[in-house]
Every structure is written in structure tokens, then in C-alpha cells.
Amino acid sequence: MVRVRFAPSPTGNLHIGGGRTALFNWLYAQAKDGKFILRIEDTDKLRSKQEYVDEILNSLQWMGFNWDEIYYQSHRFNIYAEFAQKLLKEGKAYTEKSPERQGEAIIFKVMPQQVKINDLIRGEIEFNAELIKDQVLIKSDGTPTYNFACVVDDATTDITHVIRGDDHISNTPKQALLYEALGFKLPKFAHLPLIMGIEGGRLSKRTGATAISDYRKMGYLPGALVNYLLLLSWAPGNNCELIDINEAIKLFDLSDVNKAAATFDLKKLNWLNNQYLKNEDSDKLTDEIIPMLIEKNYIRKDNFDRNYIVSLVKLFQPRMSVVNDFPDWADFFFVDELNIDPAAAEKYLNKDLSREFKLLLERLKVLQSFDIVSIEESFRGLVSELGIEAKALIHPLRVALTGKTIGPGLFEAMYYLGSERICKRLGKFIR
Ligand code: GLU
């Protein structure tokens, strides 16, 4: 049975790169009906923090990657000690007294040899182990090193495939030597390509947000982010970019993962997120948006019309890149004092439109029914009577009513604003 593991160190938040590694492990387990194991590599007592463990677990759950088993390296120190003792006894390791501290380190004797790994993504890789120095297994303070704990854990938890980032490739020969010395069966290795920032170089904080939880806070949907992470290193064929995760499970295999470095492109992520937002349940989105509106004082916690907000969410849904766009884009439905973009006012409200606005208000006032179709009809009637082009009035009207040059359909926006607010806002421009 396939058993894979994701092994984050809780010394920071879960990053895009870690999220992708988790995804490919989880996906492979699903595709092969195997098990996805989570291992918290918390041997560094100073740098590991519970808040990071929580953050990592939350981010994984948010993306939908539930694990079948979880291990904490900090609970397994006796197991590492036991295997280090075994190597000592067999003469494959030696101890060394630390000059500064009490206690002894246990060190692995590296035998010069060639190491060959058949990587499932990169193919055969050969390493010259003559360059590898003897390896510390257990430090003098009793903590195991990453390479040693990793091998002991992967072997004793029956990991069949080690899927991880390219940045670990130099560790792989060291680990292979330890497998051999301990008499463990070597698992299969698959090293995922590096993720670069759009300006080249490794993806880093400098080039934008890197933590999965940051994307969550910014209003990305988990499905879209997972779809994007998938595309970073794998393509399902047919130039298809929107992939349902269940479809991906059916199609995925490690041998199809790209060898070339991936580039993190926020524009593409935004495009994908918009595709997912369009199809998202409006009620669910409304649940996410309501707290944002309360925080902005756009609505009162205990007194708002939920159905009205659902309608507005539906209005903006086809256009939003991220959920968090909503409060900024839809502000004009909630504020009394409209915030008019000065550049837009300069461009579209720089001449006197008293006559046009007044005539429009007169037409709207006598409408039998204030609905989207009737609003549009009265507008179209007016521009044809005035003998002007529709856009000559649409743009100024939009700016006067919404403060912006872009937004949802104007007549829909007018419908949801209601005649009273339209009157008030246009009134300001009537002399
Ligand atoms: N704790 C290591 C990391 O976060 C795990 C590496 C591995 O998967 O072996 O990079």
C-alpha cells in the first residue's frame, strides 16, 4: 500500500511551497488508495512553536488535505536514540565529546561510495558520496538531526514514497546511506521542482505573500488555490486549467509531474479564483462577507437585511477576483456619504449635467414598477429623446451613483440602490 508523508517544520507558517508539497502527497495517496501521513518535525525546541503547528494544521484542513495518521518528532526521541545506539554497537557510528557542552554527539561514519537514486520525477540521479562528510545523528544535547530523524521515521512508519521539494535533493544521498546502514528498505523518491517568483529567483516574502493562511485571509477560495498549486507542477492535458480535485485524483500520477521550475503567477491565481467565485454558492459567500461588512460599519451586527446582501453578492460575484474585493467594490450600497474617485469625477462629471439628471429623475419617479427592465427603458428613452449616445450619460451616471468607473451593470446597481438614494445622489449634481 502506498504511504506518503508531509513533514513540515513548525518554525513558521505553511507556505505556498509547503502547500504544494502537501497537495502532491495527498493527491498521490488518494490516487493510489493509500495513506497520507502528517509528521511534525519539531525537534528544534527553540524555533518550533505550537501556534505554527496550529496554523499548519488549519491550513491543511482548509485546503481539504485530511491526514490518516499524525506523528510528532518531539515524542519520538527515544526511538532515534535506540537506532543511534544500534549503529554505535555495529561500529557504524562513533561518539564525540562536545568541547563546550556536556554530553556526546553520535556521528555516522560515511563510507565513500557512489549513490544512485531513481527519482520518479527527475529520473536517475547520481551522487558522489566521497564529498559527504561524516554525519551527526544525535547532537550533544540529545536532539536528532533532520536527516537521521527523517530516515528513522520514514522507515518505521513504512513510508513508500518520499515526495518533497527539490531543495532537499542534497539530503537524499545522505539519507540513502543511512537507510543502508540501518538495514532499511529504501523508499521511492520524487522531488518536486522549485517554485520561482514572477521576477525570477525563489518565491519569497519579498515578492508577495507566501503563507497559505495569507491567501485565505485575502479572500481566495481553497478550491481555486488548490487548483492553482496543482497547475504549478502538473497539467492534466488538453490545455485544461480548471480541474476539479476529484477529476485530478483520477488522472494524477507522479511520472507526469513537471521537471522544470514553476513560476508563481498571481494574475493566473486571480483568474482562477474568479472562475471559482462565479460558481460559488452565493449564500456561503454571503456568510464570509457579512463579518467584513460589520467590521467596516457598513451594516449593524444585529440589524441587516440578509436577502439584500445575497442579491448584492450575486451582482458582484462574476467580477470579483477575491472575496475581499466585495466591501471595497460594493461600498456605495452601504455608505451615506459617497466616496467619489476624484479622477473619475474629473473625467465624467466635469460638465453640468443638471438637465440630463433632472429629466432622468422625472422619468424614474413616474415608473409604475421600479424594476431593472423599466429603469433601463426609461434611461434608453431619455438618451434617444436627447439625441445623445447612451455612453455619454452612462459613465457620468455611474460615477455620480457609485463613485467609480467600473462595477456591476448600471441598471442593476440602480435597482438595488433604490429611487430614494438615486434621487439624493443625482440631486447633488443638479443646480
Ligand atoms: N521538515 C522538512 C521541511 O520542512 C521536511 C523535509 C522532508 O520532507 O524530508 O522541509
Side-chain angles (χ1 to χ4, degrees):
M1 165 152 58
V2 164
R3 288 175 59 87
V4 293
R5 81 325 186 254
F6 175 55
S9 307
T11 54
N13 293 333
L14 182 64
H15 283 182
I16 289 291
R20 185 202 49 176
T21 304
L23 162 64
F24 281 83
N25 275 286
W26 177 86
L27 188 58
Y28 192 60
Q30 308 311 307
K32 300 289 168 189
D33 237 337
K35 295 273 185 241
F36 174 59
I37 287 134
L38 190 56
R39 183 168 74 229
I40 304 297
E41 302 212 321
D42 54 352
T43 56
D44 186 335
K45 284 184 192 130
L46 284 177
R47 291 175 57 227
S48 300
K49 298 225 154 63
Q50 184 59 41
E51 62 185 87
Y52 293 133
V53 175
D54 296 340
E55 198 267 357
I56 292 167
L57 300 189
N58 280 336
S59 292
L60 290 173
Q61 276 166 334
W62 178 69
M63 290 189 287
F65 309 152
N66 292 313
W67 49 92
D68 298 296
E69 295 163 27
I70 183 167
Y71 299 93
Y72 290 81
Q73 288 192 324
S74 58
H75 301 173
R76 296 168 59 85
F77 277 28
N78 57 340
I79 303 176
Y80 311 128
E82 205 179 289
F83 282 101
Q85 286 301 327
K86 179 172 182 276
L87 290 176
L88 269 179
K89 242 183 241 146
E90 293 170 1
K92 295 172 182 168
Y94 56 92
T95 57
E96 201 171 79
K97 265 211 158 328
S98 153
E100 309 95 62
R101 293 191 245 187
Q102 289 197 328
E104 305 180 313
I106 304 179
I107 295 164
F108 176 55
K109 264 187 232 166
V110 174
M111 297 297 168
Q113 60 188 290
Q114 291 294 109
V115 181
K116 247 191 227 168
I117 303 286
N118 205 352
D119 189 279
L120 293 178
I121 297 170
R122 301 174 45 134
E124 201 174 85
I125 317 174
E126 221 172 309
F127 303 90
N128 186 355
E130 279 173 40
L131 304 173
I132 301 176
K133 294 191 218 113
D134 285 0
Q135 298 288 309
V136 177
L137 302 176
I138 308 275
K139 298 181 213 164
S140 57
D141 67 359
T143 51
T145 55
Y146 154 70
N147 276 319
F148 186 54
C150 179
V151 167
V152 169
D153 285 338
D154 284 341
T156 56
T157 59
D158 301 315
I159 298 303
T160 56
H161 296 71
V162 171
I163 306 169
R164 61 184 169 201
D166 241 354
D167 48 330
H168 283 288
I169 207 133
S170 62
N171 288 318
T172 306
K174 298 175 189 166
Q175 296 183 1
L177 294 174
L178 283 169
Y179 273 95
E180 196 188 83
L182 288 162
F184 290 143
K185 182 170 175 266
L186 198 67
K188 296 209 160 52
F189 288 95
H191 288 92
L192 300 166
L194 211 68
I195 305 175
M196 318 275 279
I198 193 109
E199 290 133 21
R202 287 191 64 166
L203 189 67
S204 71
K205 279 216 180 90
R206 203 174 38 78
T207 49
T210 47
I212 298 288
S213 54
D214 287 338
Y215 288 90
R216 180 181 187 171
K217 281 183 220 139
M218 286 188 281
Y220 290 89
L221 298 180
L225 187 62
V226 168
N227 191 151
Y228 183 69
L229 294 176
L230 195 58
L231 292 183
L232 269 183
S233 310
W234 179 72
N238 312 329
N239 283 327
C240 162
E241 302 208 288
L242 270 174
I243 321 157
D244 180 71
I245 194 72
N246 294 313
E247 216 32 55
I249 289 171
K250 283 188 220 145
L251 299 170
F252 182 75
D253 208 340
L254 278 172
S255 52
D256 301 328
V257 173
N258 300 341
K259 290 185 188 56
T263 303
F264 188 82
D265 178 358
L266 194 62
K267 268 203 199 119
K268 179 127 175 211
L269 173 59
N270 285 342
W271 174 80
L272 260 177
N273 205 50
N274 170 259
Q275 301 293 312
Y276 276 78
L277 275 172
K278 274 183 200 167
N279 297 318
E280 180 70 324
D281 179 59
S282 307
D283 250 310
K284 242 173 93 185
L285 274 181
T286 303
D287 286 338
E288 280 184 54
I289 283 171
I290 281 174
M292 301 178 191
L293 300 177
I294 293 172
E295 205 196 295
K296 289 226 169 213
N297 274 326
Y298 286 174
I299 56 174
R300 293 233 319 265
K301 200 176 172 171
D302 44 7
N303 180 21
F304 60 85
D305 180 352
R306 189 189 156 89
N307 288 337
Y308 180 65
I309 297 173
V310 174
S311 308
L312 298 184
V313 168
K314 283 190 178 143
L315 199 59
F316 283 93
Q317 231 178 303
R319 295 170 177 83
M320 289 193 286
S321 290
V322 291
V323 185
N324 298 23
D325 282 341
F326 186 86
D328 295 335
W329 291 9
D331 63 340
F332 62 90
F333 284 112
F334 302 99
V335 295
D336 286 333
E337 269 319 305
L338 192 62
N339 228 331
I340 298 187
D341 167 22
E346 175 61 36
K347 189 160 175 200
Y348 295 112
L349 294 172
N350 56 353
K351 63 169 203 251
D352 185 10
L353 290 159
S354 300
R355 178 161 168 261
E356 290 82 352
F357 285 176
K358 216 167 133 191
L359 289 170
L360 181 66
L361 285 181
E362 275 164 16
R363 284 181 178 242
L364 293 178
K365 232 172 256 166
V366 298
L367 280 184
Q368 297 250 299
S369 145
F370 192 79
D371 57 63
I372 298 168
V373 173
S374 312
I375 295 168
E376 173 157 10
E377 273 171 7
S378 53
F379 173 86
R380 303 260 174 227
L382 175 66
V383 290
S384 98
E385 190 185 286
L386 292 173
I388 57 173
E389 267 188 292
K391 66 173 187 214
L393 199 49
I394 277 191
H395 293 308
L397 196 53
R398 180 188 288 286
V399 177
L401 292 175
T402 72
K404 303 175 205 338
T405 51
I406 49 165
L410 180 60
F411 307 114
E412 286 161 293
M414 287 171 76
Y415 171 71
Y416 287 108
L417 273 173
S419 58
E420 211 177 296
R421 284 194 284 187
I422 292 175
C423 232
K424 220 175 122 202
R425 288 184 188 177
L426 293 189
K428 290 201 169 150
F429 296 92
I430 298 175
R431 286 196 197 141

